[in-house]
Amino acid sequence: MAAVIQQLGGALQRVLIHDLVANPEGGGTFYGLLVFDQGGRSIEVDCRPSDGVALAVRMACPIYVADHLLDAAE
């Protein structure tokens, strides 16, 4: 995926873990976004947080988590 991003002339700017939706059975599902820059244009693509984190580590970009998720984890 990192190679595809680079071949398309993009750069991964950041990964954002932005939401948690509770499941009726318990637990929940996290939601994430990949934020790219392509020629000065910002593009957001939905992703699984685990995939976003793996890609961010490989491409050395920051990972952000929404404040309300961190607050809920305390």
Side-chain angles (χ1 to χ4, degrees), residues 49-60:
S50 58
D51 293 338
V53 168
L55 191 57
V57 169
R58 286 173 179 77
M59 298 189 76

Side-chain angles (χ1 to χ4, degrees), residues 60-74:
C61 79
I63 301 166
Y64 295 98
V65 178
D67 287 337
H68 71 275
L69 296 177
L70 293 175
D71 292 342
E74 293 183 60

Side-chain angles (χ1 to χ4, degrees), residues 4-69:
V4 170
I5 293 165
Q6 292 168 344
Q7 287 294 317
L8 293 173
L12 185 59
Q13 297 296 305
R14 65 187 169 277
V15 172
L16 173 61
I17 313 301
H18 64 88
D19 204 3
L20 171 64
V21 176
N23 294 332
E25 305 84 37
T29 302
F30 286 94
Y31 289 87
L33 286 173
L34 302 174
V35 182
F36 299 98
D37 175 75
Q38 187 177 37
R41 190 178 87 171
S42 182
I43 300 170
E44 295 181 351
V45 177
D46 291 330
C47 73
R48 292 187 305 186
S50 58
D51 293 338
V53 168
L55 191 57
V57 169
R58 286 173 179 77
M59 298 189 76
C61 79
I63 301 166
Y64 295 98
V65 178
D67 287 337
H68 71 275
L69 296 177

